[in-house]
Amino acid sequence: MLWNFFREFEQGDFSSWVREGNFIAEPFSTYYTLLGLHSIGMAAIVGVTWMLGSRIFGFQTGISLRNVGGLFRLAWWGFWLNLFSGMVLLAAQPRREMMTGMFWLKIAAIVLAVWVIRVLQKGLSEIRTVPDPRGGGVIEVVPQSIRLQAFVIVVLWLVAIVAGRLIGYTQPPPPM
Amino acid sequence: MEFDPSVIAWFKAAWPGPLVRTSGWLFPFGEVIHFIGLCLLFGSLIFIDLRLMGWFKELSVKAVLALVPYAMIGLTMNMLSGWLFFTSAPDTYLENPAFIVKMILVLLATANAVFFTLYEQRKVAMIGPGESAPRMAQILAGSSLGLWLLILLIGRWLPIFTVGTN
């Protein structure tokens, strides 16, 4: 029943516009413009969380982990752009995407990554500081669990990127 | 735009073009590397440029500039994977106006970064938390971010302008 709904949906105006129409003006196709926005959103959330991961692993110690709230907002902005453009892109050919294993692998990796980022964000807000024995400032003590979460995020984004790239190469022909 | 056929032939014979044309996995592998490089480049630049433009003032500029090596690694990954794509079909890329525009914008963004490194980086490196960067550094940061966003978008538009597609 759901399959029939998607079949009819793909024949509708909206789906056709995403697949074959132009975004605002010719020749800027809706599909490739949305792909561009999708990439910008993905690069923002992946890039920002990777940079935060680098800090958590012990590099760029000048960046205080207690002051990265703004960066998480930026990462979430990227995620919402990625999600919105991804959902509209899905409207182009939902049945074909759902028949592709790499699509589901990408979605699973993103869902898991988002969940771990939320856990990590909460953990960072409770981070401890100790006085620096060399004098002056303080040292932020990053628990092992937060390092592990940052590592899992890096790996999950790699899986999402590889799977996302391979969707186009492993898709079956459009269903009838 | 017209290009000398001998130039195109040279690019076509250049490594790893012939290898990419006969391999089923090298092109998608290059795409993965290109996107990972993009994430490193964009992820670090968005941090640095927005701080210079006045966001995240709770962080010092020096601390944020420590992310520059990631931008360099990302740019190198993109240039290497971009060369892989280009040598696989140089004629197709060279007759694509979006590709020419993208390359001009990449050159502009690189020149922007070199100008910032030579003339502004030393001045802004001492800017502490809560302080603003000079006007020129803000302008360079804004143009860097704008240029890279445009490069990303135009990169995705390449298939629209590739002859015989869309």
Side-chain angles (χ1 to χ4, degrees):
Chain A
M1 194 173 132
L2 195 63
W3 207 245
N4 287 337
F5 167 77
F6 283 135
R7 182 184 292 135
E8 281 178 31
F9 179 80
E10 283 171 12
Q11 287 159 0
D13 288 344
F14 181 71
S15 187
S16 303
W17 174 72
V18 175
R19 218 170 34 245
E20 296 147 17
N22 287 307
F23 190 80
I24 302 174
E26 212 174 344
F28 302 105
S29 96
T30 309
Y31 191 80
Y32 288 110
T33 304
L34 282 167
L35 267 184
L37 296 176
H38 197 60
S39 300
I40 289 171
M42 187 83 171
I45 185 163
V46 174
V48 170
T49 50
W50 276 357
M51 294 306 120
L52 286 168
S54 172
R55 167 62 191 91
I56 289 166
F57 295 143
F59 303 101
Q60 295 89 29
T61 48
I63 298 173
S64 166
L65 288 170
R66 289 171 301 165
N67 291 329
V68 292
L71 290 164
F72 273 112
R73 276 196 294 279
L74 192 64
W76 289 122
W77 168 87
F79 170 71
W80 291 118
L81 178 65
N82 185 251
L83 181 67
F84 174 75
S85 54
M87 286 176 74
V88 182
L89 281 168
L90 183 61
Q93 41 183 5
R95 287 183 303 157
R96 198 177 178 200
E97 299 284 3
M98 286 176 193
M99 288 162 69
T100 310
M102 286 294 164
F103 169 77
W104 292 110
L105 180 60
K106 178 185 171 179
I107 298 296
I110 291 176
V111 168
L112 279 172
V114 165
W115 177 65
V116 182
I117 290 171
R118 284 182 64 93
V119 174
L120 177 97
Q121 191 172 0
K122 196 168 178 292
L124 281 183
S125 65
E126 294 158 8
I127 209 157
R128 268 183 334 112
T129 57
V130 293
D132 189 343
R134 291 166 297 187
V138 291
I139 294 175
E140 293 171 329
V141 183
V142 182
Q144 207 59 35
S145 61
I146 293 208
R147 286 181 204 268
L148 180 66
Q149 286 157 17
F151 177 74
V152 169
I153 290 167
V154 170
V155 173
L156 285 170
W157 284 138
L158 282 174
V159 172
I161 289 170
V162 173
R165 294 284 91 192
L166 294 183
I167 287 175
Y169 292 93
T170 55
Q171 264 179 337
M176 299 301 284
Chain B
M1 203 181 284
E2 288 289 316
F3 287 91
D4 187 341
S6 64
V7 173
I8 293 174
W10 185 87
F11 281 129
K12 218 166 189 165
W15 190 87
L19 206 59
V20 182
R21 285 192 292 277
T22 54
S23 158
W25 62 270
L26 256 178
F27 200 91
F29 173 74
E31 285 187 318
V32 169
I33 298 297
H34 209 63
F35 198 78
I36 292 172
L38 175 78
C39 290
L40 290 172
L41 180 67
F42 193 66
S44 52
L45 283 184
I46 206 169
F47 242 114
I48 298 164
D49 290 339
L50 286 178
R51 172 60 187 95
L52 290 170
M53 288 163 73
W55 294 40
F56 318 130
K57 278 192 170 173
E58 57 276 17
L59 301 171
S60 74
V61 170
K62 188 182 176 186
V64 173
L65 284 176
L67 294 167
V68 165
Y70 285 114
M72 305 293 285
I73 294 169
L75 185 63
T76 307
M77 287 171 82
N78 279 353
M79 283 166 69
L80 292 175
S81 49
W83 176 252
L84 181 147
F85 302 145
F86 179 70
T87 55
S88 74
D91 43 353
T92 312
Y93 281 101
L94 288 173
E95 68 187 16
N96 187 329
F99 174 75
I100 304 294
V101 173
K102 182 181 171 181
M103 288 304 106
I104 291 169
L105 292 176
V106 169
L107 283 176
L108 279 174
T110 310
N112 189 76
V114 170
F115 187 84
F116 173 80
T117 309
L118 291 179
Y119 298 104
E120 291 295 319
Q121 191 166 340
R122 235 174 342 158
K123 291 183 214 166
V124 301
M126 288 300 129
I127 294 173
E131 295 174 344
S132 297
R135 198 38 136 201
M136 178 54 90
Q138 290 184 20
I139 292 168
L140 289 172
S143 51
S144 160
L145 205 53
L147 281 166
W148 284 111
L149 280 171
L150 212 53
I151 289 164
L152 218 156
L153 204 56
I154 290 177
R156 281 303 195 168
W157 280 339
L158 290 187
I160 303 175
F161 297 94
T162 304
V163 176
T165 62
N166 194 21

